Structure formats: structure tokens, C-alpha cells
């Protein structure tokens, strides 16, 4: 941290700031220029910069290191690869997670899972506990939904990611799912994050709808600080002034995260756009921008879906986007599942 004093700061004001910092255990290096005094502070993560900034004679306080540590690339220069049996997230391969927004019934879960697997998805997604904006909307099937999702994932030799909304659901969701999903609305549920830090299962941490990248990484830090090193970040669109799409996919978050953090990052073009015809272009853009994977909603009969039907792709659309990703991934030096593409009309 660097404290820049005002040009007219008095010696007494400077000494008071120095004394405060030293008292808080900092090392302070003072440099007196022609016009102002600048204080270089070492160990400043323990001090509240805002408290220093409001002291008399202080012009501004500049932070020069990130407030998160374990999540930062400075701390761990090589990228984290999360391994779940033979599935590696954050390695060379672009990993695709696909499935319905919610588990609704056995037929829907099994049919959709089979279609996702056939197209090349390695991880089945599906919610059993749904964070819905309205308390009157479908809230998910709970354990019954988890059971169906697990059975379908096993049948298709897929891994499963499913949302945990509350600390009290951790054991239950963990019994069925390979990856805990923390939804956008829960990104700053610090109790939940801390509890997940105590587990040893990977966590897919979605970015909050109005969260900065720094806040998002600080949320990841809560999980890492508990000893769980397997956090996957998911950019799922943020709320902006644009109302045409459900959210705005922040594609630039991909290279930003790659620079700031060693954690894998994927995107969710379904929740980002809210419209199924916009999902494929955003999935392509995500992979081209360096995402380690995507998570998309696919439904065997999306027009009848109990949640997020409008953004859920038909299986044929998903096949096609997978075929497109198979062209894009190698172009940027990545691989992607090479399962044979089901031949379908390209004009659809
Ligand atoms: C979901 O994945 O179905 C979901 C509710 O996502 P988000 O938390 O990003 O809104
Ligand atoms: Mn959804």
C-alpha cells in the first residue's frame, strides 16, 4: 500500500499517519519529494485503507497487491487443474457441462442426459434445489431430483454438478453430486462458502449478478482458505443497463481471471443471454476467449420446461454447437471431446 500525503500536509499529520501504521504492525518507508511525502507500507493487508484515507493530510491511498491471496496467480503461478476421475477441468481440454435447468421427472432427466452425453458433454448439470426469483415458481424436486440426476449421470458415465443453496444442504447434495454449484445469488453467502471450504469436493462458483471480479475472487478465497483447493469460477452474465438479453456476458472476465488467478474459469451462456438462439454464439466466443469450459442448459422438450425453457437448447442445437467448438478449440491450442457428432441438418 502506498499513502500519498497532500502537498500541504504538515509534519505532525505525516507523523500521525506513520504512527498509526507502525502501531498496527506495518513497516513504513517514508520518501519526501519536492512537493509531497509518500509512505510505502509493507504488510498493509492487515490495515483498513479507508481508515487511513480519511486521516488529515492524506491525499490518497493506493493498494498495490490484491486483497485475495490463495486465489491469486502471484501465489500460485501455474494454473489449477481439477481432476474428477478422468475428467480434468483447467487442463488442455475444454470441458462441457450440459443438462436441464432443473430435474423435473425421470424421463426428462434421462432423455436429456443421454442427448448431452451423445453430443460430447462430460458433466451433467441439473438443479434439484432452485433459487427462483419468485417463491411461487417451481422450486425443484429436492432429494428426489438429485437421485434422478445421479442415476442418469452414472448411466451415461458422466460427472454431475448440482446447486447447493444453503449450508444445511451440503451433506445431501454432496452425497449425489461430484461438484457443488454455488449460484449467482449465493456468491456472497459467506457462511455457505466457509462450509464448502471444509469439504473436499470441487465447487463451481458463479459470479454474482452485480459482483466485481475482485469480489468474486474474494468469495473464492473463502473456499480456498478453508482448505478446499478445487474452485471453478463461472462467468454467468452480470446485470447491466441492457435489457435485451437476460444478463450481459462479460467475456473479458475470462482473460482478466486468467491473469489474476490460477483457478479454472468457465462461462454459462444460457443464464447470460436468457435466449436459446444466443447461447451458441456466446459459447463459441467463450471458448475462443480462452474459457476452460462452458455450462449450458439443454432440455429434451424446452418448450415445456418448468424453469428456464427459453434459454434451454434443443438437443440438435447442442449437437451443432459442440461441432463448432470442435473447430474452435484446436485453433487456440485446446482439445475438446471428440465423440462422433450426430449428423443433423446444418441449416437448422
Ligand atoms: C442455474 O444454473 O440454473 C442457476 C440458477 O444459475 P445462476 O445462479 O447463474 O442464476
Ligand atoms: Mn437455470
Amino acid at each position: 500500500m502506498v499513502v500519498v500525503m497532500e502537498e500541504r500536509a504538515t509534519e505532525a499529520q505525516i507523523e500521525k499517519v506513520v504512527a498509526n501504521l507502525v502501531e498496527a504492525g506495518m513497516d513504513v518507508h517514508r520518501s519526501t519529494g519536492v512537493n509531497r511525502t509518500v509512505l510505502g507500507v509493507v504488510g498493509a493487508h492487515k490495515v483498513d485503507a479507508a481508515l487511513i484515507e480519511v486521516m488529515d493530510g492524506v491525499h490518497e491511498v493506493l493498494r498495490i497487491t490484491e486483497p485475495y491471496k490463495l486465489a491469486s496467480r502471484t501465489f500460485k503461478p501455474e494454473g489449477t487443474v481439477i481432476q474428477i476421475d478422468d475428467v480434468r477441468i483447467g487442463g488442455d481440454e475444454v470441458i462441457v457441462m450440459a443438462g436441464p435447468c432443473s430435474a423435473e421427472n425421470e424421463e426428462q432427466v434421462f432423455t436429456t442426459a443421454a442427448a448431452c452425453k451423445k453430443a460430447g458433454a462430460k458433466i451433467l448439470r441439473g438443479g434439484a434445489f432452485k433459487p427462483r426469483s419468485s417463491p411461487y415458481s417451481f422450486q425443484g424436486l429436492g432429494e428426489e431430483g438429485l437421485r434422478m440426476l445421479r442415476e442418469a449421470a452414472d448411466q451415461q458415465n458422466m460427472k454431475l454438478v448440482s446447486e447447493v443453496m444453503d449450508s444445511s444442504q451440503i451433506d445431501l447434495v454432496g452425497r449425489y453430486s461430484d461438484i457443488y454449484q454455488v449460484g449467482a445469488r449465493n456468491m456472497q453467502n459467506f457462511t455457505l462458502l466457509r462450509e464448502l471450504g471444509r469439504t473436499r469436493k470441487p465447487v463451481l462458483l458463479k459470479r454474482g449478478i452485480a459482483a466485481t471480479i475482485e469480489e468474486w475472487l474474494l468469495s473464492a478465497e473463502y473456499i480456498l482458505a478453508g482448505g478446499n483447493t478445487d474452485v471453478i469460477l463461472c462467468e454467468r452474465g452480470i446485470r447491466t443497463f441492457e435489457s435485451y438479453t437476460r444478463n450481459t456476458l462479460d467475456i473479458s472476465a475470462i482473460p482478466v481471471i486468467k491473469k489474476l488467478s490460477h483457478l479454472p474459469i468457465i462461462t454459462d451462456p444460457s443464464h447470460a443471454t436468457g435466449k436459446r438462439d444466443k447461447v451458441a454464439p456466446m459459447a463459441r466466443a467463450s471458448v475462443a476467449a480462452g474459457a476452460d469450459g462452458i455450462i449450458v442448459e439443454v432440455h429434451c422438450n424446452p418448450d415445456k420446461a418448468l424453469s428456464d425453457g427459453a434459454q434451454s437448447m434443443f438437443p440438435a442445437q447442442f449437437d451443432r454447437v459442440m461441432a463448432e467448438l470442435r473447430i474452435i478449440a484446436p485453433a487456440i491450442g485446446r482439445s475438446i471431446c471428440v465423440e462422433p457428432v450426430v449428423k443433423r441438418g446444418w441449416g437448422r
Side-chain angles (χ1 to χ4, degrees):
M1 182 169 97
V2 171
V3 181
V4 181
M5 302 301 297
E6 282 171 357
E7 282 188 28
R8 281 188 296 271
T10 63
E11 186 55 30
Q13 288 170 334
I14 298 170
E15 277 172 16
K16 190 162 178 200
V17 173
V18 173
N20 259 22
L21 292 166
V22 170
E23 198 186 324
M26 315 291 110
D27 270 344
V28 183
H29 303 266
R30 181 172 168 167
S31 136
T32 311
V34 188
N35 296 320
R36 355 174 150 248
T37 292
V38 171
L39 307 173
V41 186
V42 181
H45 57 277
K46 291 177 220 140
V47 82
D48 182 354
L51 288 180
I52 303 297
E53 200 150 41
V54 295
M55 289 184 73
D56 290 341
V58 174
H59 173 65
E60 66 178 332
V61 175
L62 306 167
R63 227 185 40 215
I64 50 173
T65 51
E66 310 98 345
Y68 43 86
K69 182 168 167 270
L70 304 175
S72 81
R73 212 176 257 283
T74 320
F75 175 73
K76 183 171 178 283
E78 71 285 1
T80 287
V81 178
I82 295 166
Q83 182 117 21
I84 313 167
D85 299 328
D86 58 342
V87 178
R88 300 175 85 238
I89 304 159
D92 283 344
E93 187 180 340
V94 171
I95 295 294
V96 177
M97 313 183 184
C101 176
S102 323
E104 298 169 11
N105 57 63
E106 285 199 342
E107 201 209 319
Q108 172 249 9
V109 171
F110 285 37
T111 314
T112 305
C116 292
K117 170 69 181 192
K118 198 166 172 191
K122 295 215 161 159
I123 300 178
L124 178 66
R125 65 142 290 146
F129 294 103
K130 297 304 301 176
R132 306 305 302 280
S133 299
S134 163
Y136 307 116
S137 303
F138 175 60
Q139 304 285 309
L141 296 181
E143 184 166 8
E144 186 55 9
L146 285 168
R147 190 194 53 71
M148 290 175 198
L149 289 161
R150 180 74 262 165
E151 210 177 311
D154 288 345
Q155 205 176 71
Q156 299 298 333
N157 190 24
M158 296 170 88
K159 302 299 168 204
L160 176 65
V161 55
S162 197
E163 178 156 359
V164 55
M165 283 175 57
D166 183 270
S167 322
S168 65
Q169 297 166 351
I170 291 179
D171 284 347
L172 177 62
V173 175
R175 248 179 275 141
Y176 294 92
S177 184
D178 301 295
I179 305 174
Y180 289 113
Q181 175 174 325
V182 175
R185 295 157 188 83
N186 259 325
M187 189 204 84
Q188 288 189 315
N189 179 342
F190 301 120
T191 315
L192 176 62
L193 300 178
R194 270 192 204 287
E195 291 291 330
L196 289 170
R198 279 196 262 274
T199 72
R200 292 297 174 264
K201 249 184 214 282
V203 178
L204 179 76
L205 179 64
K206 290 203 165 190
R207 181 178 182 179
I209 58 170
T212 63
I213 287 176
E214 186 170 293
E215 287 163 341
W216 188 16
L217 288 171
L218 281 166
S219 290
E221 188 82 8
Y222 268 89
I223 302 168
L224 299 171
N228 185 348
T229 53
D230 291 346
V231 178
I232 306 153
L233 299 167
C234 178
E235 160 60 45
R236 47 77 74 202
I238 47 175
R239 183 161 289 178
T240 68
F241 50 80
E242 183 50 68
S243 57
Y244 187 83
T245 46
R246 187 174 179 185
N247 292 288
T248 298
L249 184 65
D250 182 6
I251 294 270
S252 60
I254 302 164
V256 172
I257 288 289
K258 285 282 168 205
K259 183 177 161 79
L260 296 178
S261 178
H262 53 87
L263 296 172
I265 173 164
I266 68 166
T267 70
D268 176 345
S270 308
H271 290 86
T273 60
K275 296 179 175 162
R276 72 170 74 99
D277 63 324
K278 306 289 178 287
V279 174
M282 292 298 95
R284 298 195 297 260
S286 300
V287 172
D292 295 300
I294 54 165
I295 180 167
V296 287
E297 288 182 342
V298 177
H299 195 292
C300 56
N301 189 4
D303 295 334
K304 294 276 178 315
L306 295 183
S307 61
D308 287 350
Q311 68 192 33
S312 299
M313 283 187 285
F314 288 95
Q317 285 178 307
F318 181 52
D319 276 348
R320 191 153 78 181
V321 72
M322 287 301 294
E324 292 165 345
L325 298 183
R326 282 188 191 97
I327 297 166
I328 296 168
I332 55 152
R334 309 283 298 252
S335 62
I336 188 162
C337 171
V338 288
E339 230 102 310
V341 186
V342 189
K343 286 257 182 307
R344 279 198 167 90
W346 279 78
R348 286 169 63 192

